[in-house]
PDB file of all heavy atoms in Angstrom:
ATOM      1  N   HIS K 157     110.871  98.701  98.589  1.00 97.00           N
ATOM      2  CA  HIS K 157     110.687  97.489  99.429  1.00 97.00           C
ATOM      3  C   HIS K 157     111.849  96.528  99.203  1.00 97.00           C
ATOM      4  O   HIS K 157     112.072  96.272  97.991  1.00 97.00           O
ATOM      5  CB  HIS K 157     109.365  96.817  99.385  1.00 97.00           C
ATOM      6  CG  HIS K 157     109.115  95.835 100.309  1.00 97.00           C
ATOM      7  ND1 HIS K 157     109.545  94.553 100.340  1.00 97.00           N
ATOM      8  CD2 HIS K 157     108.356  95.888 101.454  1.00 97.00           C
ATOM      9  CE1 HIS K 157     109.140  93.810 101.368  1.00 97.00           C
ATOM     10  NE2 HIS K 157     108.395  94.665 102.100  1.00 97.00           N
ATOM     11  N   GLY K 160     109.804  93.182  97.603  1.00 97.00           N
ATOM     12  CA  GLY K 160     108.874  93.400  96.522  1.00 97.00           C
ATOM     13  C   GLY K 160     109.267  94.472  95.439  1.00 97.00           C
ATOM     14  O   GLY K 160     108.533  94.756  94.510  1.00 97.00           O
ATOM     15  N   GLY K 161     110.356  95.229  95.824  1.00 98.00           N
ATOM     16  CA  GLY K 161     110.700  96.351  94.962  1.00 98.00           C
ATOM     17  C   GLY K 161     110.071  97.637  95.377  1.00 98.00           C
ATOM     18  O   GLY K 161     110.713  98.662  95.457  1.00 98.00           O
ATOM     19  N   PHE K 162     108.726  97.562  95.599  1.00 98.00           N
ATOM     20  CA  PHE K 162     108.052  98.712  96.087  1.00 98.00           C
ATOM     21  C   PHE K 162     106.857  98.309  96.930  1.00 98.00           C
ATOM     22  O   PHE K 162     106.461  97.097  96.849  1.00 98.00           O
ATOM     23  CB  PHE K 162     107.534  99.618  95.008  1.00 98.00           C
ATOM     24  CG  PHE K 162     106.370  99.126  94.279  1.00 98.00           C
ATOM     25  CD1 PHE K 162     105.015  99.511  94.653  1.00 98.00           C
ATOM     26  CD2 PHE K 162     106.394  98.159  93.212  1.00 98.00           C
ATOM     27  CE1 PHE K 162     103.865  99.013  94.023  1.00 98.00           C
ATOM     28  CE2 PHE K 162     105.301  97.727  92.571  1.00 98.00           C
ATOM     29  CZ  PHE K 162     104.007  98.072  92.923  1.00 98.00           C
ATOM     30  N   GLN K 201     111.716  85.270  92.635  1.00 98.00           N
ATOM     31  CA  GLN K 201     111.170  86.641  92.712  1.00 98.00           C
ATOM     32  C   GLN K 201     109.811  86.803  91.962  1.00 98.00           C
ATOM     33  O   GLN K 201     108.851  87.364  92.573  1.00 98.00           O
ATOM     34  CB  GLN K 201     112.154  87.634  92.133  1.00 98.00           C
ATOM     35  CG  GLN K 201     111.791  89.093  92.296  1.00 98.00           C
ATOM     36  CD  GLN K 201     111.570  89.453  93.819  1.00 98.00           C
ATOM     37  OE1 GLN K 201     112.250  88.937  94.683  1.00 98.00           O
ATOM     38  NE2 GLN K 201     110.764  90.442  94.024  1.00 98.00           N
ATOM     39  N   ASP K 202     109.714  86.336  90.688  1.00 98.00           N
ATOM     40  CA  ASP K 202     108.395  86.494  90.048  1.00 98.00           C
ATOM     41  C   ASP K 202     107.371  85.685  90.674  1.00 98.00           C
ATOM     42  O   ASP K 202     106.158  86.087  90.643  1.00 98.00           O
ATOM     43  CB  ASP K 202     108.623  86.091  88.557  1.00 98.00           C
ATOM     44  CG  ASP K 202     109.284  87.140  87.699  1.00 98.00           C
ATOM     45  OD1 ASP K 202     109.684  88.241  88.310  1.00 98.00           O
ATOM     46  OD2 ASP K 202     109.386  87.029  86.460  1.00 98.00           O
ATOM     47  N   CYS K 205     106.069  87.788  93.548  1.00 98.00           N
ATOM     48  CA  CYS K 205     105.265  88.858  93.060  1.00 98.00           C
ATOM     49  C   CYS K 205     103.872  88.364  92.744  1.00 98.00           C
ATOM     50  O   CYS K 205     102.870  88.967  93.020  1.00 98.00           O
ATOM     51  CB  CYS K 205     105.822  89.534  91.847  1.00 98.00           C
ATOM     52  SG  CYS K 205     107.369  90.500  92.200  1.00 98.00           S
ATOM     53  N   LEU K 266     103.980 104.462  90.262  1.00 98.00           N
ATOM     54  CA  LEU K 266     105.183 104.061  89.520  1.00 98.00           C
ATOM     55  C   LEU K 266     105.459 104.995  88.413  1.00 98.00           C
ATOM     56  O   LEU K 266     106.488 105.447  88.165  1.00 98.00           O
ATOM     57  CB  LEU K 266     105.037 102.659  89.011  1.00 98.00           C
ATOM     58  CG  LEU K 266     105.061 101.563  90.059  1.00 98.00           C
ATOM     59  CD1 LEU K 266     104.631 100.201  89.467  1.00 98.00           C
ATOM     60  CD2 LEU K 266     106.479 101.418  90.691  1.00 98.00           C
ATOM     61  N   VAL K 269     106.931 108.284  89.540  1.00 98.00           N
ATOM     62  CA  VAL K 269     108.361 108.180  89.786  1.00 98.00           C
ATOM     63  C   VAL K 269     109.175 108.226  88.587  1.00 98.00           C
ATOM     64  O   VAL K 269     110.212 108.991  88.399  1.00 98.00           O
ATOM     65  CB  VAL K 269     108.694 106.832  90.603  1.00 98.00           C
ATOM     66  CG1 VAL K 269     110.207 106.670  90.728  1.00 98.00           C
ATOM     67  CG2 VAL K 269     107.981 106.800  91.944  1.00 98.00           C
ATOM     68  N   TYR K 270     108.747 107.472  87.574  1.00 98.00           N
ATOM     69  CA  TYR K 270     109.388 107.563  86.283  1.00 98.00           C
ATOM     70  C   TYR K 270     109.434 108.963  85.632  1.00 98.00           C
ATOM     71  O   TYR K 270     110.377 109.413  84.983  1.00 98.00           O
ATOM     72  CB  TYR K 270     108.832 106.546  85.258  1.00 98.00           C
ATOM     73  CG  TYR K 270     109.429 105.146  85.476  1.00 98.00           C
ATOM     74  CD1 TYR K 270     108.598 104.246  86.145  1.00 98.00           C
ATOM     75  CD2 TYR K 270     110.582 104.807  84.964  1.00 98.00           C
ATOM     76  CE1 TYR K 270     109.119 102.905  86.390  1.00 98.00           C
ATOM     77  CE2 TYR K 270     111.101 103.496  85.089  1.00 98.00           C
ATOM     78  CZ  TYR K 270     110.336 102.517  85.788  1.00 98.00           C
ATOM     79  OH  TYR K 270     110.813 101.247  85.906  1.00 98.00           O
ATOM     80  N   LYS K 277     115.604 109.650  91.817  1.00 98.00           N
ATOM     81  CA  LYS K 277     114.706 108.645  91.425  1.00 98.00           C
ATOM     82  C   LYS K 277     115.447 107.317  90.877  1.00 98.00           C
ATOM     83  O   LYS K 277     114.970 106.204  90.984  1.00 98.00           O
ATOM     84  CB  LYS K 277     113.708 109.040  90.377  1.00 98.00           C
ATOM     85  CG  LYS K 277     114.369 109.235  88.962  1.00 98.00           C
ATOM     86  CD  LYS K 277     113.294 109.621  87.877  1.00 98.00           C
ATOM     87  CE  LYS K 277     113.875 109.663  86.530  1.00 98.00           C
ATOM     88  NZ  LYS K 277     112.810 110.063  85.484  1.00 98.00           N
ATOM     89  N   ALA K 278     116.646 107.575  90.388  1.00 98.00           N
ATOM     90  CA  ALA K 278     117.474 106.448  89.887  1.00 98.00           C
ATOM     91  C   ALA K 278     117.735 105.416  90.899  1.00 98.00           C
ATOM     92  O   ALA K 278     117.630 104.157  90.583  1.00 98.00           O
ATOM     93  CB  ALA K 278     118.822 106.942  89.360  1.00 98.00           C
ATOM     94  N   HIS K 279     117.874 105.787  92.174  1.00 98.00           N
ATOM     95  CA  HIS K 279     118.212 104.805  93.205  1.00 98.00           C
ATOM     96  C   HIS K 279     116.928 104.088  93.568  1.00 98.00           C
ATOM     97  O   HIS K 279     116.994 102.812  93.787  1.00 98.00           O
ATOM     98  CB  HIS K 279     118.694 105.626  94.492  1.00 98.00           C
ATOM     99  CG  HIS K 279     119.191 104.714  95.634  1.00 98.00           C
ATOM    100  ND1 HIS K 279     119.922 103.614  95.357  1.00 98.00           N
ATOM    101  CD2 HIS K 279     118.958 104.773  96.954  1.00 98.00           C
ATOM    102  CE1 HIS K 279     120.210 103.028  96.532  1.00 98.00           C
ATOM    103  NE2 HIS K 279     119.631 103.707  97.491  1.00 98.00           N
ATOM    104  N   LEU K 280     115.759 104.727  93.607  1.00 98.00           N
ATOM    105  CA  LEU K 280     114.510 104.049  93.858  1.00 98.00           C
ATOM    106  C   LEU K 280     114.149 103.116  92.778  1.00 98.00           C
ATOM    107  O   LEU K 280     113.662 102.050  92.998  1.00 98.00           O
ATOM    108  CB  LEU K 280     113.385 105.108  94.157  1.00 98.00           C
ATOM    109  CG  LEU K 280     112.099 104.532  94.427  1.00 98.00           C
ATOM    110  CD1 LEU K 280     112.048 103.629  95.678  1.00 98.00           C
ATOM    111  CD2 LEU K 280     110.959 105.752  94.671  1.00 98.00           C
ATOM    112  N   LEU K 281     114.327 103.573  91.534  1.00 98.00           N
ATOM    113  CA  LEU K 281     114.004 102.713  90.379  1.00 98.00           C
ATOM    114  C   LEU K 281     114.907 101.507  90.352  1.00 98.00           C
ATOM    115  O   LEU K 281     114.442 100.466  89.857  1.00 98.00           O
ATOM    116  CB  LEU K 281     114.153 103.568  89.063  1.00 98.00           C
ATOM    117  CG  LEU K 281     112.927 104.581  88.896  1.00 98.00           C
ATOM    118  CD1 LEU K 281     113.203 105.474  87.693  1.00 98.00           C
ATOM    119  CD2 LEU K 281     111.569 103.898  88.777  1.00 98.00           C
ATOM    120  N   GLU K 282     116.158 101.635  90.693  1.00 98.00           N
ATOM    121  CA  GLU K 282     117.040 100.436  90.704  1.00 98.00           C
ATOM    122  C   GLU K 282     116.422  99.424  91.676  1.00 98.00           C
ATOM    123  O   GLU K 282     116.473  98.200  91.352  1.00 98.00           O
ATOM    124  CB  GLU K 282     118.420 100.866  91.139  1.00 98.00           C
ATOM    125  CG  GLU K 282     119.423  99.745  91.020  1.00 98.00           C
ATOM    126  CD  GLU K 282     119.457  98.753  92.120  1.00 98.00           C
ATOM    127  OE1 GLU K 282     119.076  99.122  93.260  1.00 98.00           O
ATOM    128  OE2 GLU K 282     119.769  97.491  91.859  1.00 98.00           O
ATOM    129  N   ARG K 283     115.888  99.843  92.810  1.00 98.00           N
ATOM    130  CA  ARG K 283     115.375  98.909  93.789  1.00 98.00           C
ATOM    131  C   ARG K 283     114.146  98.273  93.135  1.00 98.00           C
ATOM    132  O   ARG K 283     113.925  97.079  93.246  1.00 98.00           O
ATOM    133  CB  ARG K 283     115.022  99.623  95.094  1.00 98.00           C
ATOM    134  CG  ARG K 283     114.192  98.841  96.091  1.00 98.00           C
ATOM    135  CD  ARG K 283     114.884  97.523  96.541  1.00 98.00           C
ATOM    136  NE  ARG K 283     116.218  97.858  97.162  1.00 98.00           N
ATOM    137  CZ  ARG K 283     116.368  98.080  98.435  1.00 98.00           C
ATOM    138  NH1 ARG K 283     115.300  98.045  99.345  1.00 98.00           N
ATOM    139  NH2 ARG K 283     117.584  98.253  98.960  1.00 98.00           N
ATOM    140  N   ILE K 284     113.212  99.041  92.551  1.00 98.00           N
ATOM    141  CA  ILE K 284     111.992  98.581  91.954  1.00 98.00           C
ATOM    142  C   ILE K 284     112.334  97.612  90.811  1.00 98.00           C
ATOM    143  O   ILE K 284     111.699  96.464  90.789  1.00 98.00           O
ATOM    144  CB  ILE K 284     111.115  99.783  91.501  1.00 98.00           C
ATOM    145  CG1 ILE K 284     110.677 100.508  92.691  1.00 98.00           C
ATOM    146  CG2 ILE K 284     109.916  99.208  90.769  1.00 98.00           C
ATOM    147  CD1 ILE K 284     109.996 101.855  92.249  1.00 98.00           C
ATOM    148  N   GLU K 285     113.193  97.988  89.939  1.00 98.00           N
ATOM    149  CA  GLU K 285     113.391  97.241  88.738  1.00 98.00           C
ATOM    150  C   GLU K 285     114.246  95.930  89.045  1.00 98.00           C
ATOM    151  O   GLU K 285     114.007  94.931  88.477  1.00 98.00           O
ATOM    152  CB  GLU K 285     114.138  98.036  87.716  1.00 98.00           C
ATOM    153  CG  GLU K 285     113.237  99.151  87.154  1.00 98.00           C
ATOM    154  CD  GLU K 285     113.979 100.076  86.255  1.00 98.00           C
ATOM    155  OE1 GLU K 285     115.215  99.993  86.195  1.00 98.00           O
ATOM    156  OE2 GLU K 285     113.355 100.984  85.602  1.00 98.00           O
ATOM    157  N   SER K 286     115.130  95.964  90.018  1.00 98.00           N
ATOM    158  CA  SER K 286     116.009  94.841  90.345  1.00 98.00           C
ATOM    159  C   SER K 286     115.110  93.699  90.997  1.00 98.00           C
ATOM    160  O   SER K 286     115.560  92.570  90.947  1.00 98.00           O
ATOM    161  CB  SER K 286     117.106  95.244  91.316  1.00 98.00           C
ATOM    162  OG  SER K 286     116.627  95.683  92.560  1.00 98.00           O
ATOM    163  N   ARG K 287     113.984  94.077  91.551  1.00 98.00           N
ATOM    164  CA  ARG K 287     113.032  93.106  92.108  1.00 98.00           C
ATOM    165  C   ARG K 287     111.855  92.806  91.146  1.00 98.00           C
ATOM    166  O   ARG K 287     110.937  92.159  91.530  1.00 98.00           O
ATOM    167  CB  ARG K 287     112.506  93.632  93.494  1.00 98.00           C
ATOM    168  CG  ARG K 287     113.349  93.212  94.622  1.00 98.00           C
ATOM    169  CD  ARG K 287     114.669  93.866  94.611  1.00 98.00           C
ATOM    170  NE  ARG K 287     115.356  93.751  95.950  1.00 98.00           N
ATOM    171  CZ  ARG K 287     116.543  94.283  96.239  1.00 98.00           C
ATOM    172  NH1 ARG K 287     117.195  94.933  95.258  1.00 98.00           N
ATOM    173  NH2 ARG K 287     117.110  94.167  97.442  1.00 98.00           N
ATOM    174  N   ASN K 288     111.941  93.436  89.999  1.00 98.00           N
ATOM    175  CA  ASN K 288     110.817  93.301  89.010  1.00 98.00           C
ATOM    176  C   ASN K 288     109.459  93.614  89.635  1.00 98.00           C
ATOM    177  O   ASN K 288     108.463  92.871  89.454  1.00 98.00           O
ATOM    178  CB  ASN K 288     110.742  91.827  88.389  1.00 98.00           C
ATOM    179  CG  ASN K 288     110.018  91.781  87.091  1.00 98.00           C
ATOM    180  OD1 ASN K 288     109.750  92.816  86.482  1.00 98.00           O
ATOM    181  ND2 ASN K 288     109.616  90.582  86.698  1.00 98.00           N
ATOM    182  N   GLY K 289     109.494  94.682  90.354  1.00 98.00           N
ATOM    183  CA  GLY K 289     108.250  95.114  91.146  1.00 98.00           C
ATOM    184  C   GLY K 289     106.941  95.274  90.256  1.00 98.00           C
ATOM    185  O   GLY K 289     105.917  94.928  90.704  1.00 98.00           O
ATOM    186  N   ILE K 290     107.162  95.644  89.046  1.00 98.00           N
ATOM    187  CA  ILE K 290     105.992  95.870  88.113  1.00 98.00           C
ATOM    188  C   ILE K 290     105.242  94.545  87.888  1.00 98.00           C
ATOM    189  O   ILE K 290     104.093  94.579  87.611  1.00 98.00           O
ATOM    190  CB  ILE K 290     106.465  96.442  86.732  1.00 98.00           C
ATOM    191  CG1 ILE K 290     105.268  96.912  85.938  1.00 98.00           C
ATOM    192  CG2 ILE K 290     107.327  95.388  86.048  1.00 98.00           C
ATOM    193  CD1 ILE K 290     104.479  98.022  86.594  1.00 98.00           C
ATOM    194  N   HIS K 291     105.930  93.462  88.235  1.00 98.00           N
ATOM    195  CA  HIS K 291     105.244  92.178  87.931  1.00 98.00           C
ATOM    196  C   HIS K 291     104.056  91.917  88.874  1.00 98.00           C
ATOM    197  O   HIS K 291     103.119  91.259  88.466  1.00 98.00           O
ATOM    198  CB  HIS K 291     106.273  90.932  87.987  1.00 98.00           C
ATOM    199  CG  HIS K 291     105.683  89.669  87.481  1.00 98.00           C
ATOM    200  ND1 HIS K 291     105.213  89.598  86.253  1.00 98.00           N
ATOM    201  CD2 HIS K 291     105.602  88.435  88.034  1.00 98.00           C
ATOM    202  CE1 HIS K 291     104.676  88.341  86.008  1.00 98.00           C
ATOM    203  NE2 HIS K 291     104.969  87.613  87.069  1.00 98.00           N
TER     204      HIS K 291
END
Side-chain angles (χ1 to χ4, degrees):
H157 192 279
F162 76 95
Q201 187 60 30
D202 280 4
C205 291
L266 291 168
V269 174
Y270 276 101
K277 75 176 185 181
H279 189 42
L280 180 56
L281 288 174
E282 189 281 330
R283 171 61 58 90
I284 294 169
E285 293 173 353
S286 65
R287 272 65 166 182
N288 199 18
I290 191 61
H291 193 50

